[in-house]
């Protein structure tokens, strides 16, 4: 299954509409083929896969990745049933043709469907991912050959299921701490020193206790922090915000190349978290949490994953740490330290809880909606996880 939504406003076609449509469709088929590989449906049920003409190096790379993607699909099937089918649509941003070379900038929107869905629970995981596809025209036949697929991946976040890259092996410094182009203001060091030993990491073994107690019955503050009234927060508003803006980002906020924690702060604010006082001179203080008109008037804790941890769980008591990720409920926050270097890299929010105990995570970097917690834990077994009750 799949579709082309056509050229977006501002898209360009240098060699006429025929080439543009041909190149865009080849890109869609290429991405649909990749998505099909992680599903559980047998080849006959998927239909006949359309071959995409490729250069020899690209064909070899594609064949190697096909085996790895099929293995991933089999692994996830064993973990949680995997995916039954995939649907891919593409939207072109720009199509440029220069002689025998073409470059297509497009956005892939993919849905990976879950098996045995209970009414009212998510039917699929979905993600939105920009790509730059490069084609070379065969001089003898005139056929366009796909020569390169460059997805725009965030090195701090988990890659979509159909991508084989891992988070960066060394800490990637998030850009919230730098002024945006054209802004003026201080540019302090990007990563604050660790404040000390973090609260205990969250376990990942799923037991009989699913942590299903209502939030109002849970402790409302971390030890040593000022108690917060959980009842004053709207968890449904947090979830609704994440569901609304996971893909179509809220234009009332600036975005960052690593946007995961910025997105979570927005959701928390939508659910009732109040900002603190603060200014450019106090933005590096992890006791502060505020958003300003410029990056240099916005606190580190707003968009930095590590800084958000310290504000939320240690200084404000707005969250407390759960001993197991499977205790999370709607609007709880999950953070990950991919390489166990004691610096948190990524932040996500729970947007659904299944009757079988499954949790579904939504996040930016990259834009992903309702990815199963069991899939994330299986895909990143060496990560350290920090589950926050909000």
């Amino acid at each position: 299954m799949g579709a082309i939504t056509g050229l977006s406003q501002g898209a360009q076609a240098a060699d006429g509409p025929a080439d543009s449509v041909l190149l865009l469709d080849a890109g869609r088929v290429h991405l649909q083929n990749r998505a099909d590989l992680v599903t559980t449906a047998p080849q006959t049920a998927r239909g006949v896969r359309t071959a995409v003409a490729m250069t020899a190096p690209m064909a070899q790379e594609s064949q190697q990745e096909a085996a790895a993607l099929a293995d991933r699909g089999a692994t996830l099937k064993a973990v949680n049933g995997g995916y039954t089918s995939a649907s891919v649509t593409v939207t072109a941003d720009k199509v440029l043709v220069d002689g025998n070379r073409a470059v297509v900038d497009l956005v892939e929107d993919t849905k990976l469907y879950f098996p045995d869905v209970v009414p009212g629970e998510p039917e699929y995981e979905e993600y939105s991912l920009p790509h730059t596809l490069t084609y070379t025209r065969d001089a003898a036949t005139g056929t366009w050959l796909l020569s390169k697929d460059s997805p725009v991946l965030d090195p701090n976040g988990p890659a979509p299921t159909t991508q084989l890259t891992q988070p960066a092996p060394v800490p990637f410094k998030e850009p919230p701490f730098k002024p945006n182009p054209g802004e003026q203001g201080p540019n302090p060091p990007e990563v604050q020193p660790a404040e000390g030993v973090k609260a205990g990491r969250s376990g990942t073994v799923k037991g009989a206790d699913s942590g299903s107690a209502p939030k109002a019955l849970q402790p409302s503050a971390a030890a040593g922090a000022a108690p917060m009234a959980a009842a004053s927060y709207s968890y449904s508003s947090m979830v609704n915000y994440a569901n609304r803006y996971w893909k179509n980002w809220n234009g009332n906020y600036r975005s960052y190349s690593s946007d995961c924690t910025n997105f979570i702060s927005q959701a928390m604010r939508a659910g009732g978290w109040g900002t603190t006082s603060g200014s450019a001179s106090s933005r590096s203080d992890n006791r502060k949490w505020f958003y300003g008109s410029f990056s240099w008037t916005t606190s580190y804790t707003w968009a930095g994953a590590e800084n958000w941890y310290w504000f939320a769980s240690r200084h404000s008591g707005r969250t407390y740490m759960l001993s197991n990720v499977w205790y999370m409920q709607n609007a709880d926050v999950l953070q990950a330290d991919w390489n166990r270097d004691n610096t948190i890299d990524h932040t996500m929010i729970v947007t659904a809880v299944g009757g079988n105990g499954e949790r579904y995570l939504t996040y930016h970097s990259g834009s992903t909606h309702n990815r199963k917690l069991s899939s994330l834990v299986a895909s990143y077994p060496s990560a350290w996880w920090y589950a926050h009750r909000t």
Side-chain angles (χ1 to χ4, degrees), residues 268-280:
M268 297 298 104
R269 190 180 192 184
W273 279 29
T275 56
T276 69
S277 61
S279 63

Side-chain angles (χ1 to χ4, degrees), residues 322-343:
L322 298 171
S323 62
N324 195 293
V325 297
W326 294 103
Y327 295 167
M328 292 190 300
Q329 297 297 310
N330 280 330
D332 284 342
V333 169
L334 181 63
Q335 295 190 290
D337 177 355
W338 302 122
N339 42 33
R340 302 188 178 191
D341 64 353
N342 204 38
T343 300

Side-chain angles (χ1 to χ4, degrees), residues 24-41:
L24 187 57
D25 185 57
R28 180 197 62 79
V29 172
H30 163 65
L31 296 172
Q32 179 70 58
N33 287 346
R34 290 181 64 89
D36 284 343
L37 287 166
V38 301
T39 67
T40 60

